Amino acid sequence: METKWLEDFISLAETRSFSRSAELRHVTQPAFSRRIQSLEAWLGADLIDRTSYPTRLTPAGEVFYEQALEMLGQINNARALLRGKRPTAQTTVDFAVPHTLSLTYMPKWMTELESGFGSFNTRLMALNVHDAVMTLVEGGCDLLLCYHHPRQPVQLDSSRYDMLTLGGETLRAYARCDRSGVPELLLPGSARAPLPFLSYTSNAYLGRMVELILGDAKRPLHLEKRYETDMAEGLKMMALEGHGLAFLPESAVVRELKQKQLARADGGMPDWEVHMEIRLYRERPSGQRPGKPLVGRVWDYLRQRIAAREKAKSGKRSTVPAASA
């Protein structure tokens, strides 16, 4: 048996889609299906119910899912030990974070967190969204920080994982501008003169968000793809050089907007943007897997702070006088 078979099966159990898991695992769907079949042959049991759609696990598959998670966790711990990289100490919190959030949101958020909670050691793994989620599922990190949108949700079992909503992020179009703040490019463009478009790759989470914007647009957007990458920072640098417009998270362009290097290329139209939540996940502590005490204290602090913030908001709303008849 190969460990990649376990990773394939866990991905399939999470997505319930052969095509989606094949895309996330960077293999063709036929190759992915063969690997799942190889795992089933090795186990001598059917893991996938192929008589139903969408994909679902057999009873044996449901049982093996939990075992696969444990096996991968043990394998990763053993590998870390033999490489002299034993899992980090109880005084270190391990984060798995998508690349964009690791550069734009994480530093400021950590400053705010430590100003109230106190300083502590952290280790950050910057990954794509799928790999960041799998790192949490496989026990390779303590906390997962990621985006969430109801039409592109992070599919984690709510009975196993706790979640906190930390804030929000808006994705919209930006382009290089002059000192007066006028953008060089402005949506929607035209069929005769499409706008140069700096795009995410198809497997990037923000790329799927852009697809939602384009698909929901009430007016067609005329764009001509000129460049493609999975990194928002890469798109921002290309936009700063005037190569085209890019859809970027608001937190990634705060300085550039202030310095009038970039400007909104959507004319302030809310139809051409999408709002995402920023969420924090952890595996719920259990008797067998209690987790690090430090992580528990950080989680409790954040939960209490969020609850206090929501209470303050509701209090403000309740003090607003009702409109007279």
Side-chain angles (χ1 to χ4, degrees):
M1 186 186 68
E2 300 182 34
T3 55
K4 66 182 179 183
W5 296 352
L6 294 177
E7 294 168 349
D8 290 341
F9 173 69
I10 291 171
S11 177
L12 182 58
E14 295 288 341
T15 67
R16 302 298 171 109
S17 167
F18 275 86
S19 60
R20 181 77 188 116
S21 286
E23 178 185 356
L24 293 171
R25 298 288 292 156
H26 305 292
V27 296
T28 64
Q29 186 170 335
F32 182 84
S33 297
R34 287 194 297 271
R35 281 163 34 172
I36 295 296
Q37 290 169 357
S38 296
L39 176 62
E40 291 176 313
W42 185 84
L43 289 168
D46 290 334
L47 302 175
I48 309 301
D49 183 354
R50 293 175 173 82
T51 66
S52 65
Y53 185 85
T55 301
R56 67 183 182 188
L57 303 183
T58 63
E62 296 285 357
V63 172
F64 185 67
Y65 173 62
E66 298 294 331
Q67 298 299 316
L69 292 173
E70 293 290 338
M71 291 166 66
L72 267 183
Q74 292 173 2
I75 290 170
N76 290 334
N77 287 343
R79 181 175 59 185
L81 174 62
L82 294 176
R83 289 181 177 180
K85 298 179 180 178
R86 192 179 184 89
T88 50
Q90 295 292 304
T91 55
T92 298
V93 178
D94 295 328
F95 286 88
V97 186
H99 293 286
T100 299
L101 284 171
S102 73
L103 294 170
T104 62
Y105 183 82
M106 183 79 176
K108 183 178 179 180
W109 177 72
M110 281 298 302
T111 298
E112 295 175 353
L113 172 58
E114 291 190 336
S115 69
F117 178 83
S119 299
F120 58 92
N121 297 330
T122 60
R123 184 171 71 99
L124 186 144
M125 293 166 279
L127 307 160
N128 63 46
V129 172
H130 173 262
D131 290 347
V133 174
M134 291 302 296
T135 298
L136 177 67
V137 170
E138 294 169 5
C141 70
D142 302 308
L143 298 173
L144 164 69
L145 181 70
C146 64
Y147 290 125
H148 168 84
H149 189 276
R151 290 166 65 185
Q152 286 290 337
V154 172
Q155 296 177 329
L156 288 169
D157 186 352
S158 60
S159 68
R160 178 170 180 172
Y161 297 96
D162 293 325
M163 184 275 292
L164 295 172
T165 300
L166 302 181
E169 178 85 278
T170 301
L171 185 74
R172 57 170 67 99
Y174 297 92
R176 189 172 68 176
C177 64
D178 59 26
R179 284 293 179 180
S180 63
V182 177
E184 296 177 352
L185 303 169
L186 193 63
L187 291 175
S190 67
R192 300 180 66 177
L195 301 176
F197 177 42
L198 309 174
S199 171
Y200 296 96
T201 55
S202 59
N203 64 342
Y205 185 86
L206 293 182
R208 296 196 289 276
M209 293 295 98
V210 173
E211 290 174 3
L212 291 181
I213 294 173
L214 301 181
D216 292 345
K218 297 177 181 179
R219 297 170 57 191
L221 303 183
H222 302 281
L223 305 172
E224 181 180 4
K225 187 184 296 185
R226 295 283 184 85
Y227 181 75
E228 186 176 78
T229 181
D230 60 354
M231 297 284 288
E233 283 296 306
L235 295 183
K236 182 175 76 173
M237 297 308 295
M238 291 293 286
L240 285 168
E241 292 295 326
H243 292 288
L245 67 82
F247 287 85
L248 299 168
E250 190 174 20
S251 63
V253 297
V254 173
R255 180 177 59 185
E256 288 76 15
L257 293 175
K258 185 176 181 180
Q259 296 177 351
K260 294 187 177 180
Q261 295 174 304
L262 292 176
R264 290 180 60 167
D266 59 6
M269 292 288 291
D271 294 342
W272 298 328
E273 65 184 29
V274 67
H275 184 75
M276 305 169 290
E277 290 182 354
I278 298 175
R279 291 184 169 187
L280 190 69
Y281 290 90
R282 71 164 180 177
E283 184 176 3
R284 184 168 299 160
S286 63
Q288 292 182 329
R289 299 167 69 93
K292 298 174 183 175
L294 173 59
V295 174
R297 293 196 300 272
V298 170
W299 190 270
D300 289 342
Y301 169 79
L302 288 169
R303 180 168 49 81
Q304 292 168 11
R305 192 174 73 170
I306 291 170
R309 183 181 65 195
E310 292 303 314
K311 184 178 180 180
K313 285 183 179 179
S314 62
K316 287 181 180 180
R317 287 194 294 266
S318 66
T319 59
V320 176
S324 58

